[in-house]
Amino acid sequence: MKVVLTIAGSDSSGGAGIQADLKTFEAFGVFGASAITVLTAQNTLGVQKIHPLPASFVAEQIRSVTADFDVAAVKIGMLHSTPIIETVAAFVETLDIPVVLDPVCVSKAGSNLLEDDALSSLRELSRMATLTTPNLHEAYRLFGYLSGESDSLDALIAHPSPVLIKNHVVGNLSADLLYFGRSKRIFTDDLIPSTDLHGTGCSYASAIAASLALGNSLEESIVRAKRFITEAIRRAPHIGHGPGPINHKAGAPHAS
């Protein structure tokens, strides 16, 4: 069984963060390990409290996992601060396996999840990743990207690794745009009208990482992950009083 490591924050409500990552890994048939960066008190209404862990302890978790397991891919989520980002970057520099970075900045409920002075460090980490998966807001903060404006593509064209920008809407389709240099590919699936989107970014990046660990190409991994997310949204459990979580079990590749 392939092992995938998630380096991310903990979501006490179970819909996002490492909890969503581990559910996604299970759905894809890979074994999930985790290194927790921050603890959060949160639910579908927002993030009430963030408790960062010391960067040295994040590094210790990573060392413990990698000393015992042959990790096939890494997914990176909420890092929160510059010291944690730099610690993770030092680890990523040593790797020759797929690394998928979800550059978490703001939660679905609008809570800020990245310290203001950490953006440049996060941007540098994205240069080391196999794939970075920002939403439209994160793509603007990291790369100055504005949907539909060709003169906002300079930073993306110069970026040394692929970037998948999520959450475009084209008619009745959900569209994600993969940029790598001057190449662009569009990935589409049904647009599901729903407010139950808590943890979709975490789960999408985790699904891509899991698929890469299983030996699929980057583009095939994106296709599989997008299909997974679409079905997980379609059959969301409708719980909570804010943007609810998705149904990871329903989105599983083997689900009926």
Side-chain angles (χ1 to χ4, degrees):
M1 179 176 283
K2 298 295 186 180
V3 177
V4 183
L5 169 63
T6 171
I7 305 172
S10 171
D11 172 7
S12 57
S13 71
I18 62 158
Q19 288 84 349
D21 297 340
L22 295 175
K23 292 173 185 177
T24 301
F25 295 157
E26 186 79 10
F28 274 77
V30 300
F31 185 87
S34 65
I36 301 174
T37 55
V38 300
L39 304 175
T40 68
Q42 70 171 290
N43 52 33
T44 63
L45 298 173
V47 179
Q48 291 79 46
K49 189 74 173 180
I50 295 175
H51 179 70
L53 296 178
S56 60
F57 187 67
V58 175
E60 192 62 42
Q61 294 176 79
I62 294 170
R63 281 194 292 269
S64 292
V65 172
T66 56
D68 195 26
F69 296 143
D70 183 11
V71 175
V74 174
K75 181 263 178 170
I76 301 171
M78 180 182 175
L79 299 179
H80 185 62
S81 70
T82 296
I84 294 176
I85 294 171
E86 291 177 345
T87 294
V88 173
F91 167 61
V92 170
E93 282 184 319
T94 69
L95 300 178
D96 59 358
I97 56 175
V99 176
V100 179
L101 171 64
D102 179 21
V104 176
C105 296
V106 179
S107 74
K108 287 288 187 298
S111 302
N112 189 30
L113 302 178
L114 182 72
E115 291 184 347
D116 292 340
D117 65 355
L119 189 63
S120 61
S121 297
L122 187 62
R123 189 179 293 115
E124 286 303 307
L125 177 59
S126 75
R127 297 174 63 86
M128 306 178 196
T130 305
L131 178 70
T132 303
T133 63
N135 59 29
L136 290 170
H137 173 74
E138 293 158 349
Y140 176 73
R141 292 189 68 184
L142 286 168
F143 307 112
Y145 172 84
L146 290 170
S147 180
E149 296 192 15
S150 58
D151 59 357
S152 70
L153 298 178
D154 290 350
L156 282 175
I157 291 172
H159 200 263
S161 63
V163 177
L164 180 70
I165 303 180
K166 307 170 294 188
N167 302 347
H168 297 79
V169 176
V170 181
N172 61 349
L173 297 176
S174 166
D176 302 330
L177 277 56
L178 179 66
Y179 289 94
F180 188 23
R182 296 189 178 276
S183 299
K184 181 176 81 169
R185 180 173 171 186
I186 302 174
F187 298 83
T188 62
D189 210 324
D190 296 339
L191 178 65
I192 310 298
S194 177
T195 59
D196 293 327
L197 303 174
H198 183 61
T200 50
C202 305
S203 303
Y204 193 10
S206 295
I208 295 171
S211 185
L212 288 170
L214 291 170
N216 296 301
S217 70
L218 178 59
E219 293 192 357
E220 177 62 22
S221 295
I222 294 170
V223 170
R224 290 171 182 248
K226 190 160 183 63
R227 187 180 308 130
F228 164 78
I229 291 295
T230 299
E231 292 308 311
I233 295 172
R234 194 193 308 274
R235 297 167 62 181
H238 307 302
I239 56 177
H241 295 88
I246 61 177
N247 186 338
H248 295 84
K249 184 177 180 180
H254 59 268
S256 58

